[in-house]
């Protein structure tokens, strides 16, 4: 009986999480024009970065640069950052979307466990960011000659999934900002995103950074995701040898996710006591 109840509860929570996934995809359909604009912008900016690698010999005047390696290096950084930043933004801005739609009070007052809601939001963010990145990646293939014959794509995918958990936990913590600071909270999350971009080695090795920034980079999950994926794709490192990258990601996710949900719950209770849910930024 207890087992059955457990299954029934799990089914209920799963259906509620799916409801958040379906609702967010319906929002994407409603604002499809904006999605196309954002996709075009993201594709153009990503191509601009990778073309730096293509033009490296012309920029430096050096003929002995491994242009193909440089292009793939920047390509990995661009696509992985596009996926992870999309994941982070979709989680951290969930409160802002609720405010725009006028549903924040209904959502946070509904009898739904907060972990269930965040699981649904995270599921949508992973699927949406993955589809978005795949479209941009397809555009990249049309512009550059790429050879992944020696790459460990399965290992790269595992590293990406392990990193997704860590980014979800960071996104949940960052979503506290728009919850508590209605006017500028969303902009504050962009500062977090920009700092991750700076220290994580997205477009350059972290060794070029000052020593103190290199130390901070060691706690960024994006740093380990990029390191693992570049090792798998550029060097063809076997999956079992990618654990030095995946273990820190799993530890950050295992600690960060429950802490993030707990912190969000405390911020939610504070927002309800102080009437911040009704304010529109």
């Amino acid at each position: 009986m207890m087992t059955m109840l457990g299954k029934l509860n799990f089914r209920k929570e799963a259906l509620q999480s799916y409801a958040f996934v379906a609702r967010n995809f319906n929002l994407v359909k409603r604002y499809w024009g904006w999605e196309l604009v954002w996709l075009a912008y993201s594709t153009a900016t990503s191509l601009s970065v990778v073309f730096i690698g293509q033009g490296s010999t012309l920029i430096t005047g050096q003929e002995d640069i491994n242009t193909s390696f440089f292009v793939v290096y920047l390509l990995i950084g661009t696509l992985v950052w596009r996926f992870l930043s999309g994941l982070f933004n979709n989680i951290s801005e969930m409160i802002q979307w609720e405010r725009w739609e006028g549903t924040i009070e209904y959502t946070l007052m509904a009898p739904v466990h907060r972990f269930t809601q965040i699981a649904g939001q995270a599921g949508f963010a992973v699927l949406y960011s993955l589809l978005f990145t795949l479209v941009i990646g397809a555009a990249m293939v049309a512009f550059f000659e790429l050879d992944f014959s020696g790459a460990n794509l399965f290992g790269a995918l595992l590293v990406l999934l392990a990193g997704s958990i860590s980014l979800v936990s960071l996104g949940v913590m960052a979503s506290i900002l728009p919850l508590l600071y209605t006017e500028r909270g969303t902009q504050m999350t962009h500062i977090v995103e920009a700092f991750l971009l700076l220290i994580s080695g997205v477009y350059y090795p972290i060794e070029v950074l000052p020593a103190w920034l290199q130390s901070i980079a060691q706690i960024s999950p994006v740093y380990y995701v990029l390191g693992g994926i570049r090792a798998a794709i550029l060097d063809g490192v076997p999956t079992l040898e990618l654990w030095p990258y995946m273990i820190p990601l799993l530890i950050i996710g295992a600690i960060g996710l429950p802490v993030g949900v707990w912190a969000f719950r405390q911020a939610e209770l504070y927002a309800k006591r102080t009437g911040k849910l009704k304010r529109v930024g």
Side-chain angles (χ1 to χ4, degrees):
M1 184 62 181
M2 291 301 294
T3 303
M4 183 178 294
L5 287 175
K7 289 181 178 177
L8 287 175
N9 288 336
F10 176 77
R11 182 174 181 275
K12 174 187 171 186
E13 302 299 324
L15 287 173
Q16 289 180 338
S17 289
Y18 171 74
F20 285 100
V21 176
R23 185 197 64 168
N24 287 342
F25 272 113
N26 283 327
L27 286 174
V28 171
K29 288 167 59 180
R30 178 188 296 177
Y31 301 113
W32 63 270
W34 164 244
E35 297 296 335
L36 286 180
V37 170
W38 180 239
L39 179 62
Y41 169 80
S42 301
T43 304
T45 54
S46 300
L47 285 170
S48 299
V49 171
V50 182
F51 269 119
I52 294 174
Q54 189 79 355
S56 55
T57 56
L58 295 175
I59 295 171
T60 63
Q62 303 295 318
E63 297 293 336
D64 56 348
I65 295 176
N66 189 342
T67 304
S68 300
F69 181 90
F70 195 15
V71 166
V72 177
Y73 184 93
L74 290 175
L75 177 73
I76 293 171
T78 302
L79 292 180
V80 170
W81 176 248
R82 188 63 59 189
F83 172 78
L84 295 178
S85 63
L87 185 62
F88 176 82
N89 285 331
N90 275 290
I91 299 291
S92 62
E93 294 179 0
M94 61 181 177
I95 291 299
Q96 193 61 31
W97 275 93
E98 297 283 357
R99 281 208 170 94
W100 285 336
E101 294 298 316
T103 56
I104 185 169
E105 289 180 283
Y106 302 107
T107 299
L108 295 185
M109 299 299 285
V112 177
H113 196 285
R114 199 55 59 226
F115 190 86
T116 301
Q117 180 206 350
I118 291 173
Q121 190 72 31
F124 162 77
V126 170
L127 291 173
Y128 174 85
S129 300
L130 189 60
L131 291 172
F132 201 84
T133 305
L134 286 175
V135 173
I136 296 175
M140 295 283 191
V141 172
F143 279 86
F144 303 100
E145 292 184 7
L146 304 171
D147 180 15
F148 295 120
S149 55
N152 177 10
L153 297 179
F154 177 71
L157 178 63
L158 289 182
V159 174
L160 189 66
L161 292 176
S164 299
I165 302 171
S166 303
L167 262 294
V168 167
S169 65
L170 286 182
V172 172
M173 294 181 196
S175 67
I176 294 173
L177 295 171
L179 180 64
L180 298 182
Y181 305 100
T182 55
E183 290 82 7
R184 292 289 181 267
T186 302
Q187 287 80 354
M188 292 179 188
T189 65
H190 294 166
I191 295 173
V192 178
E193 181 185 355
F195 194 68
L196 286 174
L197 176 63
L198 171 67
I199 66 170
S200 301
V202 176
Y203 301 125
Y204 43 78
I206 66 166
E207 285 75 13
V208 303
L209 296 171
W212 63 277
L213 277 180
Q214 292 183 40
S215 301
I216 299 176
Q218 304 294 324
I219 60 173
S220 166
V222 181
Y223 165 68
Y224 294 101
V225 175
L226 286 165
I229 291 179
R230 281 181 173 137
I233 293 180
L234 291 174
D235 302 325
V237 172
T239 302
L240 291 179
E241 296 180 19
L242 294 173
W243 280 110
Y245 300 100
M246 288 193 280
I247 288 176
L249 292 171
L250 294 174
I251 292 174
I252 294 172
I255 297 174
L257 192 55
V259 170
V261 173
W262 175 84
F264 183 89
R265 178 62 178 159
Q266 302 309 307
E268 175 191 343
L269 294 174
Y270 173 79
K272 288 176 178 176
R273 285 199 307 271
T274 55
K276 289 181 178 291
L277 294 186
K278 291 188 67 175
R279 296 180 61 189
V280 177

